[in-house]
Amino acid sequence: MKATELHTKDTAELGKELESLLKAQFGLRMQKATQQLANTSQLRKVRRDIARVRTVLAEKAGK
């Protein structure tokens, strides 16, 4: 997910996106804990996407 895509969304859509990313992160953490996660780089990608969404939300709140 790119930041330019996030800038086009409104606050409600960003909130939903953040919620789904947090659920995905939880699922990946559970898979890692139970030794079921083969591709651990997915955790890093989801973490960075969460940070991108939170950054865009903060930028929109500041305007």
Side-chain angles (χ1 to χ4, degrees):
M1 169 180 334
K2 297 193 177 201
T4 54
E5 297 171 12
L6 295 174
H7 283 288
T8 61
K9 295 184 178 184
D10 65 348
T11 327
E13 291 174 335
L14 288 171
K16 289 179 184 178
E17 184 72 29
L18 180 61
E19 186 178 334
S20 70
L21 285 169
L22 289 171
K23 286 181 182 179
Q25 183 187 31
F26 179 77
L28 289 171
R29 281 198 333 254
M30 290 301 112
Q31 286 181 9
K32 184 180 179 198
T34 58
Q35 307 283 323
Q36 294 175 350
L37 185 62
N39 187 4
T40 55
S41 68
Q42 289 176 326
L43 279 169
R44 181 179 180 190
K45 290 177 186 174
V46 170
R47 255 196 343 260
R48 288 183 178 208
D49 285 343
I50 290 170
R52 281 189 192 101
V53 171
R54 285 186 172 159
T55 301
V56 171
L57 278 170
E59 288 173 357
K60 288 187 183 263
K63 289 184 178 178

